[in-house]
């Protein structure tokens, strides 16, 4: 029997955060209608926000009947990734039609899969550290809709795929283009995108009850305040249900697994002239209804000397 996730969840937006008492909590931010704008007011240097508060969530967030939003309100000191741990990132390459067009690559017949490890996870507002071997003008941004699996599943039918989704958040698939190419002998997608901190997630996890159609969301990236990507998830070649069905073929997807669904056009390395992430840059990835994911860029050689 197909397990059901149809019960309404006790939360609509979930955040992980450091409280002003020094403890880590999971909670639902108060004033949810103002939430997408609330993150924009956080200080990008530390993620501090004296006015942001959240009601504490207790129990297992992957089980609707075993978690609840309490009346305990805690002031937020620092925002963390909505997930403390991601078993694996399954990432889809070349999944927006206009992105395929800008790269002058053919539309893929099947989803292109690569992986990121758990160690690539990074919090909002914390620095993405570019390793020394990739500081030579090659680091790039990729704003992506991140799909969080909420229920163990395998061989999922496309029409049932969204039943297994816990929620959605914003991801930035940081990439090093020279290492992604043929410099190491072949296309090294996993190696070039899997360094520590190369998968920031945030600012919150939005319940699938709030986002009825994940393929009707505006998606944007700003670099140092300049708009770089501005598209819609409707431009995906393979939509979210199709991706879940494809990835679950004879493969078990586990609660907490994240699917990064690809990036739209406007990436740095395809601009004229190309634009690459520099030490001290500020990147904001934004998806409609979910909010803004802020991160700074730190070159490893400079980061440890500062």
């Amino acid at each position: 029997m197909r397990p059901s996730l149809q019960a309404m969840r006790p939360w609509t937006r979930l955040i992980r955060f450091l409280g002003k008492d020094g403890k880590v909590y999971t909670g639902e931010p108060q004033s949810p209608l103002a939430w997408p704008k609330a993150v924009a007011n956080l200080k990008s240097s530390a993620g501090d926000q004296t006015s942001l508060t959240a009601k504490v969530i207790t129990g297992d967030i992957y089980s609707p009947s075993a978690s609840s939003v309490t009346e305990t309100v805690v002031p937020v000191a620092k925002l963390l990734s909505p997930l403390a741990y991601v078993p694996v990132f399954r990432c889809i390459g070349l999944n927006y039609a206009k992105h395929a067009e800008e790269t002058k690559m053919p539309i893929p017949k099947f989803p292109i899969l690569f992986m990121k490890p758990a160690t690539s996870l990074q919090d909002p507002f914390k620095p993405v550290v570019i390793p020394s071997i990739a500081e030579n003008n090659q680091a790039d941004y990729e704003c992506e809709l991140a799909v969080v699996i909420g229920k163990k599943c395998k061989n999922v039918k496309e029409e049932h795929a969204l039943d297994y989704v816990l929620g959605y958040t914003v991801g930035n698939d940081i990439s090093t283009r020279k290492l992604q190419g043929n410099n190491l002998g072949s296309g090294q997608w996993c190696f070039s995108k899997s360094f520590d901190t190369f998968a920031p997630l945030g600012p919150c996890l939005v319940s699938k009850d709030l986002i009825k159609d994940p393929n009707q969301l505006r998606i944007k990236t700003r670099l140092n305040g300049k708009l770089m990507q501005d598209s819609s998830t409707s431009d995906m070649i393979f939509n979210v249900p199709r991706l879940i069905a494809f990835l679950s073929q004879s493969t078990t997807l586990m609660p907490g697994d994240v699917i990064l669904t690809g990036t739209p056009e406007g990436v740095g390395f395809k601009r004229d002239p190309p634009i690459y992430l520099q030490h001290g840059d500020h990147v904001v990835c934004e998806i409609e209804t979910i909010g803004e994911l802020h991160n700074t860029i730190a070159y490893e050689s400079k980061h440890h000397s500062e």
Side-chain angles (χ1 to χ4, degrees):
M1 178 180 295
R2 179 171 60 90
S4 176
L5 288 181
Q6 294 301 322
M8 289 293 289
R9 297 189 176 280
W11 51 267
T12 55
R13 287 186 174 90
L14 177 149
I15 60 173
R16 280 182 63 251
F17 63 95
L18 182 69
K20 293 188 176 180
D21 58 2
K23 298 179 181 179
V24 174
Y25 296 92
T26 299
E28 177 151 36
Q30 294 189 289
S31 303
L33 293 178
W35 168 247
K37 294 181 180 179
V39 175
N41 296 326
L42 294 172
K43 296 178 182 178
S44 60
S45 60
D48 296 329
Q49 168 61 292
T50 55
S51 63
L52 183 61
T53 59
K55 289 186 175 181
V56 174
I57 296 173
T58 59
D60 181 5
I61 65 171
Y62 296 100
S63 175
S65 62
S67 64
S68 61
V69 179
T70 71
E71 293 303 312
T72 302
V73 177
V74 175
V76 176
K78 186 176 293 185
L79 203 60
L80 306 174
S81 166
L83 300 177
Y85 174 76
V86 175
V88 65
F89 292 87
R90 289 178 172 84
C91 312
I92 307 301
L94 213 67
N95 194 35
Y96 279 71
K98 291 180 181 177
H99 177 51
E101 180 181 341
E102 75 174 348
T103 61
K104 295 181 171 57
M105 297 183 70
I107 299 293
K109 295 181 179 179
F110 303 96
I112 299 171
L113 173 65
F114 62 95
M115 305 283 207
K116 284 178 180 269
T119 50
S120 61
L121 179 65
Q122 181 58 305
D123 295 324
F125 297 102
K126 285 191 177 179
V128 170
V129 180
I130 309 300
S132 299
I133 59 172
E135 291 180 1
N136 54 340
N137 283 331
Q138 60 170 301
D140 207 349
Y141 53 83
E142 290 192 5
C143 183
E144 309 204 5
L145 176 67
V147 179
V148 181
I149 298 298
K151 198 82 169 179
K152 182 178 178 180
C153 59
K154 183 177 179 179
N155 296 323
V156 176
K157 294 184 182 297
E158 193 169 336
E159 59 267 30
H160 299 149
L162 295 185
D163 291 350
Y164 297 91
V165 172
L166 178 69
Y168 306 95
T169 189
V170 183
N172 191 350
D173 175 21
I174 302 292
S175 308
T176 54
R177 300 303 185 187
K178 293 178 183 177
L179 296 177
Q180 186 179 354
N182 295 323
N183 285 14
L184 299 181
S186 62
Q188 296 283 351
W189 285 38
C190 286
F191 180 75
S192 65
K193 292 168 170 275
S194 293
F195 297 111
D196 292 355
T197 75
F198 267 38
L201 288 182
C204 66
L205 181 65
V206 175
S207 167
K208 69 182 183 69
D209 297 317
L210 199 61
I211 296 178
K212 300 299 184 182
D213 185 352
N215 286 102
Q216 294 294 330
L217 301 171
R218 190 173 182 184
I219 179 170
K220 299 188 290 187
T221 299
R222 296 191 302 277
L223 175 61
N224 299 325
K226 181 180 178 181
L227 186 64
M228 308 299 285
Q229 294 182 290
D230 188 358
S231 185
S232 169
T233 56
S234 62
D235 193 45
M236 284 188 195
I237 298 166
F238 306 102
N239 65 18
V240 172
R242 177 73 183 104
L243 291 176
I244 294 172
F246 178 85
L247 294 173
S248 67
Q249 293 176 105
S250 299
T251 302
T252 302
L253 307 184
M254 297 297 294
D257 283 356
V258 168
I259 301 171
L260 292 179
T261 55
T263 198
E265 78 280 7
V267 293
F269 85 108
K270 282 302 175 180
R271 291 179 169 269
D272 185 17
I275 296 176
Y276 296 104
L277 298 175
Q278 304 298 323
H279 181 75
D281 279 352
H282 181 209
V283 184
V284 181
C285 294
E286 180 181 1
I287 297 180
E288 179 184 355
T289 304
I290 302 172
E292 298 178 350
L293 170 64
H294 293 244
N295 292 98
T296 54
I297 303 301
Y299 278 14
E300 186 177 39
S301 61
K302 298 180 180 180
H303 180 58
H304 295 302
S305 62
E306 292 179 347

